[in-house]
Amino acid sequence: MTDIAPLLSVEGVDVHYGRGARRKQAIHAADFAIAPGEVVGLIGETGSGKSTLARAIIGLVRPEAGRIAFHEEDLTALTPAKWRAFRRTGVIQYVFQDPLRSLDPDMTLHDSVAEPLLIRGGLTRAQITEKVRRQFGKVLLDETLLSRLPGQVSGGQRQRAAIARALLTEPRLLILDEPVSALDSANRVQILELLHALAGPDVALLFISHDLGSVAGITDRVIVLYRGRIVEVDRTDSIINRPAHPYTKLLVGSAPTLTAGGSDRQWRDRLRAELGAA
Ligand code: ADP
C-alpha cells in the first residue's frame, strides 16, 4: 500500500443477511484500503459478495462488525440522518450495471443528470444546466439527447448518461458495479476507455466485475473476493503474473476464455473441482 492517507478504509467488516435459521454471512472480515485517485478492481464470481461490499460502503447495508472510514470519518457510526447528509454531498457515487436504476424512466436525461446537484443545492438552475451540458460533452454524448427520456436512447447512451450523473457532483470515489456487462462489445470498449480517460488524480474508481479480463487493463490493483472472503489483494500486474491464491490462479487462467465469451458454467465447474468446493 502507499504512504498516502487512504481515501477509503474497510477494516474487519462482516455483513450478514437474514435472521434466525436464514441468517447467512455474506462478507467475512473484509480488509482493504483505496488511496485517492486509485483505480481498483473488485473481482469475484456471482454471489461472492461484491455488491454487498459495495452496498456496505454506501450505507445500504450495515456491517455487523468492523469499520468503514472515508477520509478517516467513520461511516459505520453515522446515524441515518447523517448518512442522508453525507450522501447529498455526492463524494461517493455509484453506477449500476443497469443504467435504468440510476435514471428515472419518466425524467429527461437532463433532469436525471441534474438531480444530484439539485439535491445538494447551492446552484441556480442555469448553472446546473451549464454543468450538465459540459458533463455530457465529457462522456461524449450529444447535447440533443438532453431532452430525451432514457427509453428513447441506446443502452450505451444510457450508461454514459448514468456516468455523467455520477460524475457531476465531483465524487472522490466512484463505485462501478459491472458497468459494461449489459452492453455489446463495441460499447463495452468505448465505456471502458471513457472511464480510463476520466480516472484522474481526483477520482478513485472501485470497479466491480466477475471478469478479471475486462478490468485488468484499467486497474492499478485488484481485490479478489471468493465466497465472501478477500483471498488476495495486489497490484494488477502481480495478480496476473504471480497469482498466489488457487482461485486467483483460476481467474487468471480463465480470463482469455471469459473475455472471448466462454461458458461461465464450464468455468465455474472447473473452479469448484479445483478448489474441492461443493
Ligand atoms: P455478487 O455481487 O458478487 O454477485 P452479492 O453481494 O449479490 O454477490 O451476494 C453475496 C451473497 O449474499 C450471495 O450468497 C447472495 O445470495 C446473498 N445476498 C445478497 N443480497 C441478499 C439479500 N438482500 N438477502 C439475502 N441474501 C442476500
Side-chain angles (χ1 to χ4, degrees), residues 15-28 47 64:
V15 180
H16 293 79
Y17 286 116
R19 290 164 189 270
R22 292 177 170 230
R23 190 173 143 85
K24 181 181 168 190
Q25 188 162 359
I27 297 294
H28 301 255
E64 209 150 292

Side-chain angles (χ1 to χ4, degrees), residues 38-74:
E38 211 183 7
V39 183
V40 178
L42 176 60
I43 308 296
E45 64 178 333
T46 302
S48 58
K50 305 180 299 294
S51 301
T52 300
L53 205 43
R55 288 201 288 266
I57 294 168
I58 57 172
L60 297 182
V61 296
R62 191 171 269 276
E64 209 150 292
R67 179 174 180 271
I68 298 175
F70 187 78
H71 271 312
E72 295 177 5
E73 177 174 12
D74 185 356

